[in-house]
Amino acid sequence: CFKACGPVFKTAGEGKVIQVRHNDYDRGPLNALSCQEVEDFYRHHKSLTEAIRKDSAVFKILLGTGDTLIFDNHRVLHGREGFSGERKFYGCYVSKDDVDSTMRECGIDVPPGGF
């Protein structure tokens, strides 16, 4: 069983956002928060959800047979819409550290903390 635990917004130096976690299906219980913090969380969660679901914030692409889509799972909020019919869906995950290391081995300058 996979359990995710972490902040909605992960930041690096000077408050730079390096990851956003927004998935209602794998969010664990908020039992480390006070009652007021839970109320605050859900108020802000509603605002965040409304903002990211605005038509102006959404890019939709229809993939065809054999199409591949590659993105940084920590930098792109993504999802799927409903689907009817038959499909095969494959996921592949690569560690960010592996990508950064490979880039360095190829002589590509990788800033501290990666891209």
Side-chain angles (χ1 to χ4, degrees):
C1 177
F2 176 75
K3 293 183 180 180
C5 182
V8 174
F9 294 98
K10 183 176 178 182
T11 59
E14 300 179 13
K16 177 183 174 188
V17 175
I18 59 171
Q19 181 181 17
V20 178
R21 296 174 184 206
H22 187 275
N23 185 343
D24 291 330
Y25 301 109
D26 73 0
R27 182 177 51 250
L30 304 176
N31 54 8
L33 304 178
S34 70
C35 290
Q36 182 61 54
E37 289 171 323
V38 170
E39 287 181 24
D40 292 344
F41 172 86
Y42 280 109
R43 186 177 68 255
H44 295 299
H45 177 270
K46 182 179 183 217
S47 297
L48 176 61
T49 301
E50 289 170 352
I52 65 176
R53 291 188 177 165
K54 284 183 178 178
D55 286 342
S56 61
V58 175
F59 172 76
K60 294 182 182 183
I61 183 170
L62 180 62
L63 299 176
T65 302
D67 286 349
T68 300
L69 180 63
I70 299 172
F71 55 88
D72 184 335
N73 205 36
H74 288 188
R75 295 182 56 113
V76 177
L77 289 171
H78 57 281
R80 295 181 294 278
E81 291 189 336
F83 180 86
S84 62
E86 185 178 331
R87 72 172 169 186
K88 290 182 182 178
F89 185 83
Y90 299 97
C92 177
Y93 298 89
V94 178
S95 162
K96 182 161 179 15
D97 291 336
D98 290 341
V99 172
D100 289 349
S101 175
T102 300
M103 291 177 71
R104 287 185 191 101
E105 287 293 319
C106 291
I108 299 169
D109 185 36
V110 177
F115 288 99

